[in-house]
Amino acid sequence: MPDGADGDAGDRARGGGAPVPPRRRRVLTSSTTRAEKARALRGLGALGGLAGLLVALMLLPTACTAGVGARDTARWFDSEPVDLTTTGVPQRSTILAADGSTIATFFYQNRVDVPLAKIAPVMRRAVVAIEDSRFYEHGAIDPQGTLRALASNLSSGEVTQGGSGITQQYVKNLLLTQADSDEEREAATAITAARKIRELRYAVAVEEKFGKDEILRRYLNIAYYGDGAYGVEAASRHYFSKHASELTLPEAALLAGVIRYPYAYDPIRHPGEARQRRDTVLDRMVRLGWLDPAKAAAAKSRPIQLDIDNVRSGCVSSKAPFFCDYVQREILTNQVFGKTAKDREKLLNRGGLTIRTTMDPQAQKAAQRAVDKHVPPKNSAHKAAAEAMVEPGTGEIKAMVVDRALGPDKKRGKTWINFAADASHGSSIGMQAGSTFKAFTLAAALDEGMPFGTRLMAPREFTPVGFRNCDGDRVGDPTASLRNAADGEGGKEFSLVTGTHHSVNTFFLELEKKVGLCDTVRMAERLGMKQANGKPLEEYPSFTLGFNPVSPLRLAAAYAAFAARGEYCAPIAITSIKDAAGHRLKVPGRDCEQAIDEGVADAVNYVLQGVLTKGTARGMGIGRPAAGKTGTVDNFSAAWFAGYTPDLAAAVWVGDPRGGYRHPMENLCMDGTCYGAVFGATIPAPIWQQSMSGALRGSDASSFHRPPSFYFSKGSGEDRVKVPDVRGMELGEAVARLRDAGFTTNVSTPVESDRYKKGTVAEMSPGPGSAEPGSTITLRVSKGSKKRDGGGRPGPGGRPGPTPPVTIPPLPGGPAQQAPA
């Protein structure tokens, strides 16, 4: 095996193409047949011609006295080729979470370009020693290496060596990696005089353009090291799980030896051959005087020790596969990242991008655990769940999960469809949203100034007539009859507050009719809602009941606008991108606008908080201010919960990918747990509760703002409760009784009373009956009667004197009060 520059016999392997094992030299013997001798002579003739050509090329740059033709040829050879580009070497792109941790990598070739300073000096010496020991002494062409190669080729009867030094090898690899077609790849690897001439000319240009250190750096970063590792940094991480700057002598010698035949010397598949090659490199370094023999012997005595780190390209192996898939689709479909699909794909797989995203690993992990716990990936009922989390005020996607692995749908527990996203970012056509859409009708009503105490009769059945869409057309079906869902009720009056808490279908149909279908639709659109297929929302009376198919991501972003006091921000996943050189690329910026007034949003938040404390999702709180809405789709075909705090919003969907109407969630048993019928509070709300608690763990709780006072102009909107009759009681006892019933009190001026004795309550307003909880009851204390003893004692001038003060029991944690005399 030659010690100097390896040549064409190893060129295919160096370029990452099909490996070419070392070939034995052919020797003509007495047993050689006449046909073999004839083939050998023809080969020698061809080699002789190629040898003459190579020698001529070696002399060409200095041959300036042989006439005009020679001068013109020399100028052509010395001039920089116009089609030579030293950029575009494929590097792997990395997607990072918000905290800088790696989500996934994408690559055409697994390569991480590093500066020379981050490559161990021993690695540089080892490669130069075995590949081109006179690299720093010769120019683009090594005369000694070329002549030796020619002699070897002529004596063997075939091409066993080439004169390729490091510069020529770099050029050949560069041309191969930049090849976009099979023809270009064939031209970059074919053993022909034309290819060699082109490489030599390019090598001269490279030597003119770059210094030796830079050429070596580029070579080390472009060479193929086997098993899918391109470049010394990727190879070092792959084989030893360390950076190239940390390589030891035996590790460096091993990698340097692999370059010639990456498959034959692959230390994973062929450890014996790899060790022999490593020792050859060490011996070469000793012969050159670059390594102490004792150190070489110590290195040779050590067995090969690998610490394999397999890096896979794409999202399948990611810990956040569906968020990763969303980011990938964003880059591949958004023209910000390239005019054509091919340009965008090339940028992602070759561009060496560092893509920083919005994903919060804590939130992502919490959401994944929650959906997997409640709807296991391979559950017996074949159900699925998805959740998206969005930060209010920024639109940043903090988590995106599906309860299945990313992969072929035919395999149980896997899917290519991102149920959490729209079709443009996950192939999902969306799912009907159910009663979560009632929040948009509520917001529209509040936006039109309706107080919380606005009450409407909710019939047991509703005929959808009297509606007009935004084009002014009448819509509805006079033959249809819409009823309340099993989690709602009807046949009585409800306020905006109680109708929402109980999720009464017919109440919201009446409210939508009063507000106007178009106003309700426009409210949803202002909050970013559209169908998952990208089309506008359809406009029919049952709009408020959520028949439009949408994605959890869009719903989470809409609810995040309530949390952000009316500011809607379109969802974003990417915060910044840097290319391989560290330059920032343009990315879509934040797109936020004040969609509804702050006061309207505050009022929505006030109402939806009650859903978690006294409504359809009571008991699903998370120990801090939160609001939300359940959603149950017709015939239990799907269930939702969308909720939020001032800091984070999330939407959860649970359903059947095979079709919710064909496979409803009624009398559902899943992995031994039976639910009966599944409502929004049955599975989606517990998923939301667990995921939100985990996502927000360790963060300070924020509070919602109090709504404007005019929303209370007709009361709190709560259900009316009985007001106890406290007349005749001592004032302190009366106040305590009313407080226990949920009312506040106000003590007004005393009154004369023939019926109630002095110091007791004589009047109360409103009187005994019913009122909304939290209402204020005004009390007036008796000061007795003029006709009976015990009345007020006369004061100066015969007028009654002041009534003695009465002590009112203090509120918990508050000081005692005195009623005015």
Side-chain angles (χ1 to χ4, degrees), residues 658-670:
R658 299 170 298 175
Y661 287 101
R662 287 187 291 118
H663 303 279
M665 293 190 294
E666 195 171 14
N667 300 318
L668 175 68
C669 288
M670 184 166 55

Side-chain angles (χ1 to χ4, degrees), residues 72 108-109 116 244 283 317 339 353 512 543 619 635 641 734 762:
D72 291 342
Y108 164 71
Q109 293 178 346
L116 201 63
D283 290 340
S317 60
K339 292 183 179 180
L353 306 179
E512 181 185 58
F543 179 90
N635 301 320
F641 188 82

